[in-house]
């Protein structure tokens, strides 16, 4: 799907969040990347195959 040069990382690579944003809806809390990954403001992700990546918020300092 990516037509950028250099091409963006695919959805199955660890650096998938480095792909370019093609649609952004901050009022709804999500963005669509050119590799078809939905990224949510809480750092969760939905991959094109339906796999859910849980949010990875840093722990609060004690």
């Amino acid at each position: 799907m990516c037509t950028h040069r250099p091409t963006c990382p695919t959805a199955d690579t660890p650096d998938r969040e480095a792909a370019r944003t093609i649609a952004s809806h901050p009022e709804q809390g999500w963005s669509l990347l050119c590799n078809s990954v939905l990224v949510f403001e809480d750092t969760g992700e939905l991959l094109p195959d339906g796999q859910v990546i849980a949010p990875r918020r840093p722990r609060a300092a004690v």
Side-chain angles (χ1 to χ4, degrees):
M1 175 185 255
C2 181
T3 59
H4 304 112
R5 294 291 175 240
T7 57
C8 292
T10 60
D12 59 352
T13 59
D15 61 343
R16 63 183 155 259
E17 294 174 11
R20 290 191 187 185
T21 301
I22 58 172
S24 179
H25 292 274
E27 72 283 359
Q28 296 176 357
W30 62 272
S31 296
L32 176 65
L33 306 181
C34 74
N35 56 6
S36 300
V37 173
L38 279 172
V39 180
F40 298 95
E41 69 181 12
D42 68 354
T43 70
E45 299 173 13
L46 180 60
L47 303 184
D49 64 1
Q51 182 181 358
V52 174
I53 307 296
R56 298 175 305 278
R57 290 186 179 175
R59 291 185 185 179
V62 178

